[in-house]
Amino acid sequence: MEDLSLHILDIVENAISAKARRIDILVMEEPKEDRFMIEIKDDGIGMDEEVSRKAIDPFFTTRTSRKVGLGLSLMAQATQEAGGTLQIESKLGEGTKVIATFQYHHIDRKPLGSMMETMTTLLLGHSELDISYTHRKGKKSYVLKSRMLKERFKNQSLIEPEVIQWLRKHLKEGLFRIGVQG
């Protein structure tokens, strides 16, 4: 995967496959501290200790449709290449939290990519879920919650052009305001 927003999309899709109903996404950029962090927390079925330990192994997957599971292993590789770490905290029946840290200024840190596209895909493609996205850069932050979107457009389908246009504009302007290009 070429950028971190695609890793986020992949991990959230894993959470959805694990029957998550609530997903919290946090992206924290701290250039002065040379730290970049992504945290994704869900309330899905979780993993036991053994599965949690094996989760970053590219030749391990719980899926029956294929024999490899590359999402978390590729994220782990991306963190290691950029002087960081990947942590997985999970409890069976309670959910999972994935925390990826990177050195902010590391030459091999992948670019963030388009959070506008990733969040638009997630929010419109999974309107039944409670998704929260927080992006912090330095002392500034931007927050978007699916509840806000549903309340604003409660009498409309979320896939109507007006809703999509509003969401993309909100994301672009919100991210721009904190110094992040969508």
Side-chain angles (χ1 to χ4, degrees):
M1 284 182 237
E2 294 299 313
D3 60 56
L4 298 174
S5 66
L6 295 176
H7 284 284
I8 292 169
L9 182 64
D10 184 66
I11 292 170
V12 171
E13 292 291 345
N14 287 345
I16 294 166
S17 294
K19 299 179 176 38
R21 303 299 301 154
R22 177 175 171 77
I23 300 168
D24 298 317
I25 302 164
L26 169 65
V27 176
M28 197 160 53
E29 299 184 48
E30 299 173 313
K32 289 182 181 176
E33 290 82 12
D34 197 27
R35 181 178 145 154
F36 188 100
M37 184 191 77
I38 297 169
E39 179 182 293
I40 302 166
K41 183 179 176 183
D42 71 64
D43 68 350
I45 60 173
M47 298 179 273
D48 63 29
E49 273 187 53
E50 182 182 356
V51 172
S52 191
R53 268 194 320 275
K54 292 179 178 178
I56 62 169
D57 181 343
F59 299 105
F60 174 79
T61 185
T62 57
R63 293 182 183 170
T64 56
S65 59
R66 61 179 190 223
K67 295 181 181 181
V68 294
L70 295 175
L72 286 170
S73 63
L74 289 174
M75 178 65 112
Q77 180 183 353
T79 61
Q80 290 170 353
E81 288 173 354
T85 60
L86 181 75
Q87 290 177 267
I88 301 170
E89 300 170 10
S90 190
K91 284 192 176 177
L92 209 51
E94 294 182 25
T96 302
K97 180 166 44 170
V98 175
I99 305 165
T101 59
F102 308 81
Q103 286 181 340
Y104 188 88
H105 299 289
H106 198 287
I107 193 166
D108 291 324
R109 180 177 63 82
K110 292 181 179 188
L112 178 58
S114 179
M115 285 305 293
M116 182 179 69
E117 294 298 331
T118 293
M119 292 312 303
T120 299
T121 299
L122 291 172
L123 291 166
L124 299 180
H126 301 285
S127 60
E128 74 284 4
L129 300 178
D130 183 8
I131 299 175
S132 171
Y133 168 50
T134 303
H135 197 125
R136 294 186 189 130
K137 185 165 185 182
K139 296 188 186 296
K140 297 178 180 181
S141 65
Y142 168 72
V143 178
L144 178 63
K145 298 181 182 222
S146 60
R147 277 178 274 158
M148 183 178 92
L149 184 65
K150 291 172 196 172
E151 286 171 17
R152 181 175 181 92
F153 296 101
K154 61 182 153 199
N155 296 324
Q156 291 177 267
S157 166
L158 295 185
I159 59 170
E160 288 187 27
E162 175 189 349
V163 177
I164 297 168
Q165 185 178 13
W166 180 89
L167 177 59
R168 293 174 65 79
K169 183 178 182 207
H170 191 280
L171 281 158
K172 186 175 183 176
E173 289 175 357
L175 292 171
F176 180 78
R177 194 172 56 253
I178 66 168
V180 176
Q181 291 185 338

